[in-house]
Amino acid sequence: MTGRLDSAQHYAIGLFRMVVGLLFACHGAASLFGVLGGAMGGGSIPAGTWPGWYAAVIQLVGGTLVLLGLGTRAAAFVSSGSMAYAYFDVHQSHALWPIQNGGEPSVMFCWTMLLLVFTGSGAFGLDRLLTRRAATASAPAGAGPATDQSPIAA
């Protein structure tokens, strides 16, 4: 059973990455454009407002990059840091626990993005496609494309 699950790990990480990226990008779109219910119950954040507008830009751009699997590790790193800042600057002062201070989404996004920094894009990412193309272009004639499908688990 473990072997079968390990062989599907790459695909599970890829799907996980796409869902997290889509949800993160939706938060940014809601805050910037007032769509999907808008920021904090309606409307959009005025351009240049610190830190909300900048966080929303990071959410939209970072979430889109993570969704596409393009520059996943860097985008996830910046996104994770943004959510850590959001938690400690905005939420932590209201109460100790995330359930009490409304910081659960910030904490969850922070840790899921940090996980993606270490796992990478998994399957279905543009990172993987571009890496494969570069490896094929630089490989000697007759060599097949480099595909590393080894599981990440220890």
Side-chain angles (χ1 to χ4, degrees), residues 96-123:
L96 177 63
W97 297 102
I99 190 94
Q100 295 172 313
N101 63 31
E104 286 178 290
S106 297
V107 171
M108 291 296 289
F109 276 123
C110 177
W111 284 101
T112 54
M113 290 295 185
L114 188 62
L115 178 66
L116 289 172
V117 170
F118 290 96
T119 63
S121 63

Side-chain angles (χ1 to χ4, degrees), residues 84-99:
Y85 177 84
Y87 180 75
F88 288 111
D89 186 61
V90 177
H91 299 284
Q92 183 68 47
S93 63
H94 300 317
L96 177 63
W97 297 102
I99 190 94

